[in-house]
Amino acid sequence: MALNQRYTENKYIALTAPADITSGDPVSIGCYRGVAQTTAKQGDRVTVWLTGSYTLPVTGAAKEGDPVYLKSGKLSTTAGGEFFGVSNGVKQAGEGDLEVAPAGIVTPGTPAA
């Protein structure tokens, strides 16, 4: 094992919060997409899980495999904002809970829509 290795798997990471974040919030920091496991004030470190799936409030209709976008801290199935992850479930139009798998790490330049 390399002596400089920090993580054996990059499933979660501590990052600097760009704004106040509450545990359970969807998070987009640079190319990372995940869900905050801790609450943090802007500038503090926040632990973000990049894997798994979460029940999150999402606006818009969805079917399994649809993209989910993050804009201004809110998730939506309507194109716009940043690509956040993928729907693991089905829901009707309007706001409601949906199982979402965050993308984890996205490629720089991933289109918003």
Side-chain angles (χ1 to χ4, degrees), residues 28-100:
S28 171
I29 300 174
C31 290
Y32 288 111
R33 305 293 185 270
V35 174
Q37 297 301 299
T38 57
T39 296
K41 296 284 187 192
Q42 182 178 6
D44 290 345
R45 302 295 275 179
V46 60
T47 300
V48 179
W49 277 87
L50 307 174
T51 62
S53 66
Y54 303 84
T55 301
L56 298 167
V58 176
T59 301
K63 59 185 183 297
E64 293 172 339
D66 281 352
V68 176
Y69 302 93
L70 179 65
K71 184 176 183 182
S72 301
K74 304 288 184 185
L75 294 174
S76 174
T77 58
T78 304
E82 299 176 306
F83 173 70
F84 177 78
V86 179
S87 167
N88 280 358
V90 176
K91 73 175 275 309
Q92 300 301 315
E95 186 168 346
D97 287 341
L98 178 66
E99 182 183 350
V100 177

